[in-house]
Amino acid sequence: MVKALSRVLFGTVACLSVGAIASPVHAAVFTPQNITFNTSNYKTYTGGSNGTFSVNNVSAAIAALQDSDSTSNVELWHSTENPTSNVGFSSTLGNHNVTVQSVTVADWAVFGNQWLNDFIASNSQMSSLWSTLTPTLQLAARSSITTSGLPSSGDPNVGSLTLNNVTGELKLDLIGHLDLKPRILARQYSTGNSTWDSILSGFARQTPGSIQASEIAKVTIGDSTYYAYGFNATSTGVSTNDGSESYTGRYTWTKTLAVAPPPASTPEPSSVVGSVVIAGTLVALRKLKSVS
């Protein structure tokens, strides 16, 4: 009798112990919360090929940043093609404070050299075309980018901003042109930098492939600042009604952040109650054994 009861008891202990094991961390993708804008100079597009535009509409902007449609987007500094200050929004993403802003000429002095190196290395065509330039022209191009920047690239269209709580991957989608080449050849596109425009025009005439380059966003995560851009776009499937085909490409920038540790395990209420019952039963078993 005592042995049979013991086996039942220990089986119960094993079952109840499961409740004390911490639940596994489930993957979740966070979207920006507590979004605030430091400017009225922004414009929202609701997404798709027949979306609508609204200016300085905070509700529409927050909806575009939090929805699952990355073709809906918020353009920072929409008023001109030459941002003169860093305007944008701040937010919380998981346990991180993240700010996304427009880019000014002063910023190009910080990241311009790296941007140019990344553009040249983005594909073999660009690398080959760059090598055909004379050293003097290469130097002029680099100097113009770090001193004058590419003004029209500083007003980014932010499609989405997300954080994976398991991998720590922060992902920023920038919406722009899938292929700049046709617009460059038609003289419908300008970076605002005449030296670089002339070089791009030559590249467009010579390359058989596309020319891809996103706009740039200034991203501050905590105390660290980064410049988000890309040279490899995927098609959004959107043909926008603004007449410029400007939302046809999606450029994705990523950054891996530290992942918050999982919460400490706490016993389930059932396991706490079970432990009390088990303790009392063990005492009773000892008494039975002493009697027998």
Side-chain angles (χ1 to χ4, degrees):
M1 173 66 180
V2 174
K3 290 182 179 179
L5 185 56
S6 297
R7 284 194 294 270
V8 173
L9 174 63
F10 289 123
T12 304
V13 171
C15 292
L16 289 172
S17 296
V18 174
I21 300 174
S23 299
V25 177
H26 295 288
V29 176
F30 297 124
T31 56
Q33 303 298 314
N34 306 311
I35 298 172
T36 57
F37 285 83
N38 69 349
T39 179
S40 60
N41 195 353
Y42 62 92
K43 180 172 68 175
T44 304
Y45 181 67
T46 57
S49 296
N50 298 298
T52 58
F53 296 92
S54 59
V55 175
N56 190 24
N57 184 329
V58 68
S59 297
I62 290 175
L65 293 170
Q66 292 181 335
D67 66 21
S68 58
D69 180 7
S70 64
T71 65
S72 64
N73 64 80
V74 179
E75 181 181 7
L76 306 177
W77 191 280
H78 79 93
S79 58
T80 70
E81 292 294 307
N82 185 18
T84 56
S85 62
N86 300 118
V87 302
F89 65 90
S90 59
S91 64
T92 55
L93 202 57
N95 62 339
H96 298 277
N97 295 319
V98 181
T99 299
V100 182
Q101 298 175 308
S102 56
V103 168
T104 68
V105 170
D107 291 306
W108 282 94
V110 177
F111 77 94
N113 269 315
Q114 186 61 54
W115 181 93
L116 181 56
N117 291 340
D118 292 340
F119 176 78
I120 296 167
S122 62
N123 62 63
S124 58
Q125 291 181 132
M126 290 302 107
S127 179
S128 177
L129 289 171
W130 177 258
S131 68
T132 65
L133 302 181
T134 66
T136 300
L137 190 51
Q138 289 182 2
L139 182 61
R142 193 172 293 275
S143 176
S144 73
I145 286 174
T146 55
T147 57
S148 301
L150 306 179
S152 68
S153 295
D155 56 341
N157 292 75
V158 181
S160 66
L161 177 66
T162 59
L163 175 68
N164 186 301
N165 74 320
V166 173
T167 64
E169 182 185 71
L170 179 146
K171 184 171 75 170
L172 175 68
D173 281 341
L174 299 171
I175 305 302
H177 296 275
L178 180 63
D179 184 6
L180 289 168
K181 180 180 173 180
R183 296 184 63 80
I184 295 171
L185 292 175
R187 297 186 178 182
Q188 296 174 338
Y189 174 80
S190 172
T191 64
N193 179 323
S194 59
T195 300
W196 187 245
D197 283 346
S198 177
I199 291 173
L200 268 186
S201 179
F203 285 177
R205 290 193 300 270
Q206 296 176 68
T207 181
S210 61
I211 295 179
Q212 295 185 325
S214 74
E215 294 172 318
I216 299 97
K218 185 175 186 177
V219 181
T220 303
I221 306 170
D223 296 326
S224 300
T225 297
Y226 309 92
Y227 293 93
Y229 53 82
F231 304 105
N232 183 20
T234 57
S235 174
T236 61
V238 169
S239 178
T240 60
N241 58 14
D242 67 351
S244 69
E245 300 299 307
S246 56
Y247 301 157
T248 53
R250 179 188 297 107
Y251 296 84
T252 299
W253 177 83
T254 62
K255 188 72 180 177
T256 301
L257 308 181
V259 179
S265 68
T266 54
E268 295 288 341
S270 60
S271 66
V272 174
V273 174
S275 297
V276 174
V277 173
I278 291 166
T281 308
L282 285 171
V283 172
L285 277 174
R286 291 193 189 98
K287 291 182 177 180
L288 285 172
K289 285 182 179 179
S290 61
V291 171
S292 59

